[in-house]
Amino acid sequence: MPDALSARRLSRRGLLAAGGAAALATLLAACGKDDAAKPASANGSGPWSFTDDRSTKVEAAARPTRVVAFTGVAAALIDFGLDKQLVGVFGETKRADGTADPQAGDLNIEGVEILGNVWGEFSLEKYAALRPDLLVTHMYDPDALWYVPDESKAKILPLAPSVAITTARVPMTRPIERYAALAASLGADLSAKKVTDAKARFEAAAEAVRQAVKANPGIKVMACSGSPDLFYVSNPKVSTDLMYFAELGVDIVVPTKLEAGDYFEALSWESAGKFPADLILLDNRSTALQAKDLTAKPTWQQLPAVKANQVSAWDAVPRFSYAGSAPLLENLATAIRNAKKVS
């Protein structure tokens, strides 16, 4: 789910930069004549195509072998069996201490070019130098490419075909299936033991959530994110993971005064107790305040779930693969089983 700032940026449409074609020609020339003209190596697979969630049929003379993706997308594609095809990423990838961001999953962050490590960062020069065959990212709103900056997308998108997969207003299983299909089209073997084992684990974890709800009925769950000034309550009718949790029987708070594409309700900290909840799922991204950061907020400390120590980490932008999402369901099942009615 987009955080507050991201969601506001996500919902707007920036004007395309003027002079894009001239800038693109200059940029390619700056990358070096040999590099710019050198095609990605074909693998003999023949023509390739994939219809993305914009209903756009993306086509190429050969299967793409140089893929650049949002970090979480790259990690999901690796979970489905891709590897050397991933040459560049953008989005939170490397933490300040040099270790991999959780979003990166099993991605070898030293083996790819990092084009940007935060929202709004995307090096056009590095991207062009990679000679990409394909750009892949999430799509939370129609035609809005996640972490591809509006102000430079007119220069970015002509460099390679792009694929966008819907990651909002559909249950989590849908983007997982779509990324699996994309990975297969790019050469991944979905019948490999690594993939089938992960799928079996995911299905078992989903069943564990169903059973936890049955064994401990009436637990009200609230998914939220904290910032210095506001408390954001997420909407399970839009957030793909929360939508799936609800399908499994989880009783999730539905905010009533929505904004920014209906992703959340923004509350002042004085109103943080508006929605009763027994279990809190707290956004664990580096862009959000964590439980230790919220101890100075009196209204946070007064929430019944916080008093009962019933706060669980929430991956607000999940890794859309069976391997990436199974642990989320396992943790949710455990949290629900162990929760007590406190609201």
Side-chain angles (χ1 to χ4, degrees), residues 21 62 79 113 162-163 194 245 247 266 280 329:
D79 288 340
E113 184 75 57
S162 61
V163 162
K194 168 186 172 181
F245 298 166
E247 285 188 358
I280 289 175
L329 294 172

PDB file of all heavy atoms in Angstrom, residues 21 62 79 113 162-163 194 245 247 266 280 329:
ATOM      1  N   ALA A  21      12.238  13.736 -26.819  1.00  0.00           N
ATOM      2  CA  ALA A  21      12.933  13.015 -27.879  1.00  0.00           C
ATOM      3  C   ALA A  21      14.359  13.514 -28.046  1.00  0.00           C
ATOM      4  O   ALA A  21      15.307  12.732 -28.178  1.00  0.00           O
ATOM      5  CB  ALA A  21      12.182  13.175 -29.199  1.00  0.00           C
ATOM      6  N   ALA A  62      12.595 -10.989 -29.332  1.00  0.00           N
ATOM      7  CA  ALA A  62      13.100 -12.130 -28.571  1.00  0.00           C
ATOM      8  C   ALA A  62      12.758 -11.929 -27.103  1.00  0.00           C
ATOM      9  O   ALA A  62      12.456 -10.806 -26.661  1.00  0.00           O
ATOM     10  CB  ALA A  62      14.611 -12.262 -28.749  1.00  0.00           C
ATOM     11  N   ASP A  79      12.008 -15.133  -6.872  1.00  0.00           N
ATOM     12  CA  ASP A  79      11.316 -16.225  -6.166  1.00  0.00           C
ATOM     13  C   ASP A  79      10.698 -17.213  -7.145  1.00  0.00           C
ATOM     14  O   ASP A  79      10.585 -18.408  -6.848  1.00  0.00           O
ATOM     15  CB  ASP A  79      10.216 -15.659  -5.266  1.00  0.00           C
ATOM     16  CG  ASP A  79      10.758 -14.936  -4.046  1.00  0.00           C
ATOM     17  OD1 ASP A  79      11.922 -15.170  -3.675  1.00  0.00           O
ATOM     18  OD2 ASP A  79      10.009 -14.115  -3.460  1.00  0.00           O
ATOM     19  N   GLU A 113      22.349  -3.093 -10.748  1.00  0.00           N
ATOM     20  CA  GLU A 113      22.524  -1.643 -10.703  1.00  0.00           C
ATOM     21  C   GLU A 113      21.333  -1.042  -9.972  1.00  0.00           C
ATOM     22  O   GLU A 113      20.183  -1.310 -10.327  1.00  0.00           O
ATOM     23  CB  GLU A 113      22.594  -1.081 -12.126  1.00  0.00           C
ATOM     24  CG  GLU A 113      22.883   0.408 -12.191  1.00  0.00           C
ATOM     25  CD  GLU A 113      24.335   0.751 -11.901  1.00  0.00           C
ATOM     26  OE1 GLU A 113      25.224   0.240 -12.606  1.00  0.00           O
ATOM     27  OE2 GLU A 113      24.556   1.526 -10.943  1.00  0.00           O
ATOM     28  N   SER A 162       7.493  -1.584 -21.291  1.00  0.00           N
ATOM     29  CA  SER A 162       7.211  -1.655 -19.860  1.00  0.00           C
ATOM     30  C   SER A 162       6.011  -2.557 -19.601  1.00  0.00           C
ATOM     31  O   SER A 162       5.097  -2.646 -20.414  1.00  0.00           O
ATOM     32  CB  SER A 162       6.937  -0.253 -19.298  1.00  0.00           C
ATOM     33  OG  SER A 162       5.807   0.327 -19.916  1.00  0.00           O
ATOM     34  N   VAL A 163       6.046  -3.223 -18.446  1.00  0.00           N
ATOM     35  CA  VAL A 163       4.948  -4.067 -17.979  1.00  0.00           C
ATOM     36  C   VAL A 163       4.511  -3.558 -16.618  1.00  0.00           C
ATOM     37  O   VAL A 163       5.344  -3.317 -15.732  1.00  0.00           O
ATOM     38  CB  VAL A 163       5.383  -5.544 -17.885  1.00  0.00           C
ATOM     39  CG1 VAL A 163       4.419  -6.338 -17.012  1.00  0.00           C
ATOM     40  CG2 VAL A 163       5.462  -6.163 -19.273  1.00  0.00           C
ATOM     41  N   LYS A 194      11.450 -25.431  -5.955  1.00  0.00           N
ATOM     42  CA  LYS A 194      11.491 -24.177  -5.186  1.00  0.00           C
ATOM     43  C   LYS A 194      10.159 -23.436  -5.272  1.00  0.00           C
ATOM     44  O   LYS A 194       9.662 -22.922  -4.267  1.00  0.00           O
ATOM     45  CB  LYS A 194      12.621 -23.298  -5.734  1.00  0.00           C
ATOM     46  CG  LYS A 194      12.620 -21.864  -5.257  1.00  0.00           C
ATOM     47  CD  LYS A 194      13.692 -21.056  -5.975  1.00  0.00           C
ATOM     48  CE  LYS A 194      13.581 -19.568  -5.662  1.00  0.00           C
ATOM     49  NZ  LYS A 194      14.597 -18.759  -6.369  1.00  0.00           N
ATOM     50  N   PHE A 245      -6.727 -10.993   3.211  1.00  0.00           N
ATOM     51  CA  PHE A 245      -6.915 -11.381   4.615  1.00  0.00           C
ATOM     52  C   PHE A 245      -8.409 -11.429   4.943  1.00  0.00           C
ATOM     53  O   PHE A 245      -8.879 -12.355   5.623  1.00  0.00           O
ATOM     54  CB  PHE A 245      -6.229 -10.389   5.558  1.00  0.00           C
ATOM     55  CG  PHE A 245      -4.734 -10.275   5.399  1.00  0.00           C
ATOM     56  CD1 PHE A 245      -4.047  -9.217   5.983  1.00  0.00           C
ATOM     57  CD2 PHE A 245      -4.005 -11.207   4.672  1.00  0.00           C
ATOM     58  CE1 PHE A 245      -2.675  -9.097   5.854  1.00  0.00           C
ATOM     59  CE2 PHE A 245      -2.624 -11.103   4.538  1.00  0.00           C
ATOM     60  CZ  PHE A 245      -1.965 -10.034   5.139  1.00  0.00           C
ATOM     61  N   GLU A 247     -10.837 -11.995   2.869  1.00  0.00           N
ATOM     62  CA  GLU A 247     -11.402 -13.174   2.206  1.00  0.00           C
ATOM     63  C   GLU A 247     -11.173 -14.431   3.044  1.00  0.00           C
ATOM     64  O   GLU A 247     -11.975 -15.371   2.994  1.00  0.00           O
ATOM     65  CB  GLU A 247     -10.776 -13.361   0.823  1.00  0.00           C
ATOM     66  CG  GLU A 247     -11.276 -12.382  -0.229  1.00  0.00           C
ATOM     67  CD  GLU A 247     -10.770 -12.729  -1.619  1.00  0.00           C
ATOM     68  OE1 GLU A 247     -10.002 -13.706  -1.764  1.00  0.00           O
ATOM     69  OE2 GLU A 247     -11.155 -12.015  -2.572  1.00  0.00           O
ATOM     70  N   ALA A 266      -6.797   9.410   7.104  1.00  0.00           N
ATOM     71  CA  ALA A 266      -5.752  10.097   7.852  1.00  0.00           C
ATOM     72  C   ALA A 266      -6.361  10.717   9.106  1.00  0.00           C
ATOM     73  O   ALA A 266      -7.243  11.572   9.023  1.00  0.00           O
ATOM     74  CB  ALA A 266      -5.100  11.169   6.977  1.00  0.00           C
ATOM     75  N   ILE A 280      -3.246  -4.805  16.141  1.00  0.00           N
ATOM     76  CA  ILE A 280      -2.794  -3.775  15.209  1.00  0.00           C
ATOM     77  C   ILE A 280      -1.694  -4.343  14.312  1.00  0.00           C
ATOM     78  O   ILE A 280      -0.739  -4.955  14.796  1.00  0.00           O
ATOM     79  CB  ILE A 280      -2.268  -2.539  15.962  1.00  0.00           C
ATOM     80  CG1 ILE A 280      -3.429  -1.795  16.622  1.00  0.00           C
ATOM     81  CG2 ILE A 280      -1.497  -1.609  15.032  1.00  0.00           C
ATOM     82  CD1 ILE A 280      -2.998  -0.621  17.481  1.00  0.00           C
ATOM     83  N   LEU A 329       1.353 -14.453   5.967  1.00  0.00           N
ATOM     84  CA  LEU A 329       0.162 -15.179   6.412  1.00  0.00           C
ATOM     85  C   LEU A 329       0.455 -15.984   7.676  1.00  0.00           C
ATOM     86  O   LEU A 329      -0.387 -16.053   8.586  1.00  0.00           O
ATOM     87  CB  LEU A 329      -0.316 -16.107   5.289  1.00  0.00           C
ATOM     88  CG  LEU A 329      -0.836 -15.415   4.026  1.00  0.00           C
ATOM     89  CD1 LEU A 329      -1.102 -16.441   2.934  1.00  0.00           C
ATOM     90  CD2 LEU A 329      -2.091 -14.609   4.319  1.00  0.00           C
TER      91      LEU A 329
END
